[in-house]
Amino acid sequence: MKLNLSLFVYGFASLSYAFPSAYKSIATWGIEGYAKSNPIGITTGGKGGPTVIVTTEAELKAAVLGTDPKVIKVKGSILLSSRLAITPNKSIIGVGSSAQITGAGLNIYNGDNVIVQNLKISHILGNDCITIRNSTRVWIDHNEFTSDISQGPDLYDGQVDIIRASDWVTVSWNYFHDHWKSSLIGNDPSFRDLDFGHLHVTYHHNYWKNEGTRGPAGRFGHQHIYNNLYEDFLYQAIHSRSDNQVLVEGNVFRGNTSEALSTYGLVIPMDSPNTCVCGDEELDGYANLGARNDWGRAGVNITQKGDFYSAKYKYQLTPLKLVAKVAKAGAGVGKI
Ligand SMILES: *[C@@H]1O[C@H](CO)[C@@H](O)[C@H](O)[C@H]1NC(C)=O
Ligand SMILES: *[C@@H]1O[C@H](CO)[C@@H](O)[C@H](O)[C@H]1NC(C)=O
Ligand SMILES: *[C@@H]1O[C@H](CO)[C@@H](O)[C@H](O)[C@H]1NC(C)=O
Ligand SMILES: *[C@@H]1O[C@H](CO)[C@@H](O)[C@H](O)[C@H]1NC(C)=O
């Protein structure tokens, strides 16, 4: 049955539990992008393995040992005393809308085939909520990441950082809010030889609100960025630098968002207040535009186009007019 559009929009507002089915014709709720379509196969996480429910740090740390497939369901709030190392072949999935990780974040290091869904990860001091390092096939879906932007860029670190030649990652339907540095791809310009040719990441239907920089910021890789909503992304949303390539389409920028997209190699001081008050100079990146974006009042500075004209997989583009509504209604926890 073909759905009538007004019915559809009404459905989002009134019946959030019903919309995944109503949605199917305009957005993909399941896995899509590089974590699905890549040379080594679809990301399955713990599929096929046993399911365990954990409610404490000790249970969670025991559950992630070993590389056998396992689905780990997190119930309630867990305060981690140190970072949690996620091993290959795992799905970590929050139960309901109250599963939460605080204290320390997650490391997906030297691994493969991991899914993280429906978790709120917040206020991780001096480190990332999730760091994906030297790992392949990771799907970060329907989570919430937040802290406090008034604390500046460095009290907390990134929300989802993807580094050291990681590859085939999808970051979808996450609610990123009230935080300075969101998502960094490639964390050092000196890792060119290691990183180049990797770092393929898809970002779709994420909702960013009241954030500072890196939505995402990429070096040396390829990122396909579509149908995301950016609201009050204060300093710089998408930044492609150090020969990185982005394909940017069907995104919506709203509110006080100063720069939607830049390929200019200058790492602005608000992004990395490290060496110089004037920022750090790097090589420019590349950007290509696909389906129309709605930039709102935000600036765009594309200094060079690349050869990343299209993504070599099937994906569902949401009509631009519905992107803000769909991303707001669908992103975050308690939705899957
Ligand atoms: C993941 O599980 C599959 C079998 O389900 C196994 O072949 C593979 O070695 C595991 N991955 C790792 C890194 O152990
Ligand atoms: C990257 O991970 C692989 C396992 O997937 C491991 O064999 C290799 O040593 C790791 N490389 C580094 C630099 O840690
Ligand atoms: C927009 O955000 C910037 C950075 O926080 C701030 O300096 C500026 O006052 C804001 N503008 C408005 C209109 O809120
Ligand atoms: C845009 O990029 C050019 C370099 O090509 C640079 O000179 C200019 O300052 C940039 N504009 C902004 C707003 O960053």
Side-chain angles (χ1 to χ4, degrees):
M1 192 187 82
K2 199 157 190 267
L3 278 166
N4 148 323
L5 198 65
S6 59
L7 220 169
F8 211 58
V9 170
Y10 175 74
F12 287 139
S14 58
L15 290 169
S16 68
Y17 64 87
F19 77 60
S21 57
Y23 240 7
K24 281 185 183 144
S25 61
I26 57 157
T28 299
W29 198 244
I31 190 165
E32 184 172 78
Y34 286 120
K36 178 183 184 195
S37 308
N38 63 66
I40 47 177
I42 184 171
T43 304
T44 55
K47 190 179 172 197
T51 296
V52 296
I53 298 179
V54 301
T55 59
T56 65
E57 175 176 27
E59 287 169 359
L60 178 53
K61 288 204 161 158
V64 294
L65 296 177
T67 59
D68 290 343
K70 197 184 286 176
V71 176
I72 300 164
K73 297 215 163 170
V74 175
K75 207 169 170 188
S77 185
I78 295 183
L79 174 66
L80 291 177
S81 57
S82 61
R83 292 185 71 80
L84 181 74
I86 314 280
T87 48
N89 296 325
K90 298 292 179 294
S91 298
I92 319 280
I93 307 176
V95 176
S97 54
S98 59
Q100 189 171 355
I101 302 277
T102 53
L106 315 185
N107 284 346
I108 302 171
Y109 276 24
N110 311 322
D112 173 49
N113 195 26
V114 171
I115 296 174
V116 179
Q117 281 183 311
N118 203 35
L119 278 180
K120 178 173 178 181
I121 306 182
S122 66
H123 300 91
I124 307 302
L125 289 172
N127 211 327
D128 305 329
C129 296
I130 299 181
T131 310
I132 302 169
R133 172 176 164 148
N134 183 38
S135 293
T136 47
R137 295 193 297 182
V138 180
W139 185 28
I140 306 294
D141 177 67
H142 279 104
N143 302 286
E144 179 176 345
F145 302 96
T146 185
S147 65
D148 177 358
I149 195 172
S150 73
Q151 300 297 320
D154 288 335
L155 182 63
Y156 308 100
D157 203 348
Q159 294 181 307
V160 176
D161 282 10
I162 302 166
I163 63 173
R164 310 294 166 90
S166 290
D167 227 341
W168 317 123
V169 177
T170 295
V171 177
S172 54
W173 298 106
N174 298 286
Y175 180 28
F176 295 100
H177 65 105
D178 300 287
H179 188 97
W180 199 292
K181 297 187 290 192
S182 187
S183 189
L184 179 65
I185 297 161
N187 66 338
D188 195 319
S190 69
F191 294 147
R192 166 179 291 268
D193 292 346
L194 178 70
D195 283 343
F196 207 89
H198 302 286
L199 301 172
H200 291 85
V201 185
T202 302
Y203 289 85
H204 74 88
H205 295 93
N206 298 289
Y207 174 25
W208 271 284
K209 183 172 170 58
N210 201 32
E211 298 262 308
T213 59
R214 309 183 180 176
R219 297 185 172 99
F220 307 124
H222 286 72
Q223 297 91 46
H224 182 203
I225 302 165
Y226 62 91
N227 291 156
N228 300 284
L229 171 62
Y230 299 79
E231 218 173 70
D232 300 326
F233 208 112
L234 299 176
Y235 303 103
Q236 189 177 49
I238 303 168
H239 191 203
S240 185
R241 59 213 196 196
S242 283
D243 290 332
N244 187 73
Q245 301 221 25
V246 290
L247 171 60
V248 178
E249 51 180 346
N251 299 288
V252 173
F253 297 82
R254 289 280 177 268
N256 185 12
T257 295
S258 76
E259 196 165 35
L261 166 62
S262 174
T263 62
Y264 179 37
L266 179 75
V267 178
I268 58 173
M270 293 78 108
D271 181 1
S272 240
N274 294 330
T275 49
C276 172
V277 287
C278 48
D280 298 329
E281 285 288 348
E282 287 180 27
L283 294 176
D284 288 8
Y286 300 87
N288 289 92
L289 303 179
R292 199 163 69 80
N293 296 278
D294 176 352
W295 307 115
R297 296 193 308 269
V300 175
N301 198 3
I302 301 177
T303 59
Q304 52 183 4
K305 290 189 174 180
D307 58 12
F308 187 27
Y309 297 108
S310 64
K312 305 277 180 254
Y313 50 69
K314 274 196 185 146
Y315 59 104
Q316 176 90 52
L317 270 180
T318 299
L320 190 59
K321 274 191 185 149
L322 293 176
V323 167
K325 203 159 232 144
V326 168
K328 262 189 198 178
V333 300
K335 310 286 173 77
I336 60 169

